[in-house]
Amino acid sequence: MNMIDQLNITDFQVFTDENENADSSVSNSYKFSSKMLLSAFHAQPHGFLNGGASLALAEITAGMASNAIGSGQYFALGQSINANHLNPKKCEGFVNARGLLLKNGKCNHVWEIKITDENETLISQITVVNALVPQKNSDK
């Protein structure tokens, strides 16, 4: 079983919003969304969502999004992560992760990820930087 399955990450998708190019510093407006179904596995001792589970959700989904954008030209490795946990969430129901690609560089991607609950309350704001490692040509 991999971490995606263990954490109950579902409904992952990457998309672009061509109508939202008001900020010229963000090229291609890549975004992603996913959901994490919560259980006691995700809880800290007092029954709230563990911040580590939020960090894992953000890093995994940012990596999946970077890999999807790269179409096999590179693979993403988590380089750094920074989080602010803003509101508690009882460990029941689900949380959504929505990411926006802030920097689409040749060597790295910078993602802004907002984790919200079922009522769209902001639980965590997380920044993930992925290093992009070129894929070796398998024809050698």
Side-chain angles (χ1 to χ4, degrees), residues 14-35:
V14 177
F15 53 95
T16 59
D17 191 346
E18 296 171 7
N19 298 328
E20 251 185 57
N21 267 338
D23 184 356
S24 62
S25 69
V26 179
S27 62
N28 295 331
S29 292
Y30 285 106
K31 297 180 179 186
F32 72 80
S33 65
S34 67
K35 181 184 286 190

Side-chain angles (χ1 to χ4, degrees), residues 13 26-27 30 36 48-49 52 59 67 76-77 85 96 100 105 112 117 119 121 132:
Q13 62 178 339
V26 179
S27 62
Y30 285 106
M36 184 167 68
F48 291 96
L49 175 62
E59 186 167 3
N67 288 334
L77 296 174
H85 304 299
N96 293 306
L100 171 65
E112 173 189 60
D117 68 7
N119 299 314
T121 301
L132 306 179

Side-chain angles (χ1 to χ4, degrees), residues 43-119:
Q44 44 91 305
H46 298 285
F48 291 96
L49 175 62
N50 188 305
S54 297
L55 287 165
L57 171 62
E59 186 167 3
I60 290 167
T61 52
M64 291 168 62
S66 289
N67 288 334
I69 292 168
S71 303
Q73 296 175 18
Y74 53 77
F75 61 93
L77 296 174
Q79 191 169 26
S80 71
I81 189 165
N82 180 321
N84 292 294
H85 304 299
L86 304 169
N87 287 295
K89 163 74 173 129
K90 274 291 196 186
C91 214
E92 55 193 29
F94 64 89
V95 290
N96 293 306
R98 292 185 183 92
L100 171 65
L101 184 61
L102 299 178
K103 180 179 185 234
N104 188 2
K106 291 182 182 180
C107 298
N108 62 28
H109 284 164
V110 178
W111 289 97
E112 173 189 60
I113 299 142
K114 294 185 179 188
I115 297 180
T116 59
D117 68 7
E118 302 90 340
N119 299 314

